[in-house]
Amino acid sequence: MNYEIKAYRHYDAAEILPLYQSVGWTNYVDRADRLEEAYQNSLAILAAYDGERLVGLVRAVGDGNSIVFIQDLLVLPTYQRQGIGTGLMRRILEKYKDVYQIELLTDNTEKSRSFYESLGMKAADKLGCLAYVRM
């Protein structure tokens, strides 16, 4: 599969919202105005395109120096398991390779653990750390 990864510079709800909807992240879709504002305040957003079609993206927040948090990694279901998520993550990890701490929060499944560990990330509990979340 040929796809291009590039910086996502201009928020377009017509392509972003269907991507979030396709993976079931309706909390974002239901608050589209907040999602647009979140994009405007993000540290970096990289997008994967198949021609002109947005098929995946990764969004990072943080200070870009001491901490980066991978907020979103999404790939259209019909494009999953084709290396797009891996490509997006590798690019964002390379972009911030000198940052002390890169974090993300994801579901606790074997699939997720295997994916992120294949990229060199470690579960917080393996580092003697505990994460707290308020939602």
Side-chain angles (χ1 to χ4, degrees), residues 105-123:
L105 188 65
T106 190
D107 31 339
N108 188 9
T109 65
E110 186 57 40
K111 180 180 169 185
S112 291
R113 283 182 177 268
S114 294
F115 175 73
Y116 291 109
E117 288 172 4
S118 76
L119 294 164
M121 301 190 80
K122 293 182 177 25

Side-chain angles (χ1 to χ4, degrees), residues 63-106:
D63 62 26
N65 245 331
S66 64
I67 190 166
V68 168
F69 190 89
I70 307 300
Q71 179 62 38
D72 301 332
L73 174 64
L74 306 96
V75 177
L76 282 173
T78 56
Y79 283 81
Q80 291 176 5
R81 314 272 317 148
Q82 298 180 38
I84 295 169
T86 299
L88 287 164
M89 280 298 295
R90 284 189 177 145
R91 287 281 298 274
I92 204 82
L93 291 172
E94 177 60 26
K95 180 175 178 65
Y96 295 108
K97 67 182 178 211
D98 295 325
V99 171
Y100 171 72
Q101 189 171 327
I102 298 177
E103 299 179 15
L104 63 87
L105 188 65
T106 190

